[in-house]
Amino acid sequence: MSLLPWQTGKVIRIVNETSNTRRYWIEVPEMKSFDFEPGQFVTLDLPIHEKPARRQRSYSISSWPDGTNVFELVIVLLEGGAGTTWLFNEVKEGDELPFRGPLGKFTLPEPIDRDLFFICTGTGIAPFRSMTHHILNHNISHQNIYLIFGCRKLGDTLYGKELQELSQKVTSFQYIPTYSREVVENQDHLIRTGYVHTIYEEIIQSNGSNMGTSDPTSLRPAYFYLCGWKNMIDEAKQRIQALGYDRKLIHQELYG
């Protein structure tokens, strides 16, 4: 199978989402509609090295297919990262970026006949924002959707207000952020502290499954999608399988 050709995208908007995270809207002028499946990514070719393989950086698409020729990326500035340093310091609205895509098979199951656990850290939320809006916009039949987002502090939250409002409107969708380094003086029950792993374990346990059992008949049907850094994904895979789920139900997109 041959690779998709390189295309030229035009950066039409840049917005700071947090102190070290930016949203980039990229238009594809040569296309009327940039079509992709939620969960896919694009690869950018950045002028940061002579060797092509060391110039390329891949980012999940954080927007959803809407019939336009514009897609969105959310990118975190990595300390010492050549690619993100160049994007943050050099790229301005109106600039062009060579890209290839859409790419990847980290996409929704068909049909969505089980609960979906979207488990992510940092900008790993991008594909799940895309998937969630796509499901709800098109009234795709689904079970419960749990978007469990982990970051350090409240100020690191990505798309927080948007996803919180969406969860208030749609009963089948729960947005659950948790903060590993946030101090909550008033113990606000709406603010979860800790790591993502305790959250999905609590949900599974509270819905009648037997934690620690090897009997798959006692587990609620679910698909698990993981996106973020390797340590989180490795631990999540271990914990989910320890609950009794088959590894075939676990899908992952690794960052870094």
Side-chain angles (χ1 to χ4, degrees), residues 105-165:
K105 298 181 179 180
F106 187 69
T107 53
L108 289 165
E110 294 183 11
I112 306 175
D113 54 356
R114 298 167 176 252
D115 287 350
L116 290 174
F117 283 83
F118 293 153
I119 303 165
C120 57
T121 50
T123 54
I125 198 171
F128 302 141
R129 177 186 185 237
S130 177
M131 290 177 179
T132 299
H133 278 281
H134 180 72
I135 292 170
L136 301 180
N137 288 345
H138 293 275
N139 295 314
I140 296 172
S141 179
H142 63 280
Q143 306 299 312
N144 295 308
I145 304 171
Y146 302 96
L147 200 171
I148 304 169
F149 167 67
C151 62
R152 293 183 177 183
K153 297 184 178 182
L154 282 166
D156 301 325
T157 304
L158 303 176
Y159 305 115
K161 182 179 179 182
E162 169 194 312
L163 294 170
Q164 185 63 47
E165 291 177 351

Side-chain angles (χ1 to χ4, degrees), residues 3-220:
L3 289 173
L4 292 173
W6 289 99
Q7 302 181 73
T8 299
K10 180 180 179 181
V11 179
I12 60 172
R13 187 183 180 198
I14 301 173
V15 171
N16 290 327
E17 179 73 355
T18 70
S19 61
N20 67 339
T21 310
R22 285 182 183 172
R23 300 166 65 179
Y24 294 79
W25 282 262
I26 299 174
E27 180 184 55
V28 191
E30 296 181 355
M31 305 179 72
K32 291 184 177 180
S33 176
F34 181 71
D35 300 321
F36 62 95
E37 291 187 58
Q40 290 190 300
F41 65 89
V42 296
T43 296
L44 305 182
D45 184 30
L46 310 177
I48 56 175
H49 202 276
E50 293 180 357
K51 296 182 179 180
R54 301 189 65 176
R55 291 201 305 261
Q56 296 173 15
R57 299 291 187 274
S58 296
Y59 301 100
S60 293
I61 302 171
S62 60
S63 53
W64 49 94
D66 60 3
T68 72
N69 63 346
V70 176
F71 62 90
E72 180 187 335
L73 305 177
V74 59
I75 299 174
V76 62
L77 177 62
L78 299 177
E79 184 177 352
T84 58
T85 297
W86 186 85
L87 285 167
F88 272 61
N89 291 344
E90 303 298 332
V91 174
K92 301 176 178 60
E93 293 179 359
D95 288 350
E96 293 183 340
L97 288 175
F99 78 94
R100 175 181 281 159
L103 302 162
K105 298 181 179 180
F106 187 69
T107 53
L108 289 165
E110 294 183 11
I112 306 175
D113 54 356
R114 298 167 176 252
D115 287 350
L116 290 174
F117 283 83
F118 293 153
I119 303 165
C120 57
T121 50
T123 54
I125 198 171
F128 302 141
R129 177 186 185 237
S130 177
M131 290 177 179
T132 299
H133 278 281
H134 180 72
I135 292 170
L136 301 180
N137 288 345
H138 293 275
N139 295 314
I140 296 172
S141 179
H142 63 280
Q143 306 299 312
N144 295 308
I145 304 171
Y146 302 96
L147 200 171
I148 304 169
F149 167 67
C151 62
R152 293 183 177 183
K153 297 184 178 182
L154 282 166
D156 301 325
T157 304
L158 303 176
Y159 305 115
K161 182 179 179 182
E162 169 194 312
L163 294 170
Q164 185 63 47
E165 291 177 351
L166 191 61
S167 68
Q168 292 171 353
K169 295 177 182 177
V170 182
T171 57
S172 60
F173 171 60
Q174 292 190 39
Y175 165 64
I176 311 171
T178 184
Y179 307 94
S180 62
R181 299 185 184 179
E182 189 65 52
V183 177
V184 185
E185 295 181 357
N186 297 325
Q187 294 298 310
D188 187 337
H189 71 283
L190 297 177
I191 298 178
R192 303 295 299 266
T193 57
Y195 296 93
V196 294
H197 309 293
T198 57
I199 306 299
Y200 59 78
E201 288 178 339
E202 286 176 8
I203 294 171
I204 292 168
Q205 186 178 37
S206 67
N207 282 274
S209 81
N210 244 335
M211 291 188 70
T213 181
S214 59
D215 179 9
T217 62
S218 67
L219 297 172
R220 61 180 300 157

Side-chain angles (χ1 to χ4, degrees), residues 225-241:
Y225 282 72
L226 316 175
C227 190
W229 296 104
K230 184 178 185 300
N231 289 345
M232 183 279 287
I233 288 180
D234 287 346
E235 184 172 349
K237 287 192 296 185
Q238 181 179 0
R239 287 181 179 236
I240 292 166
Q241 290 179 80

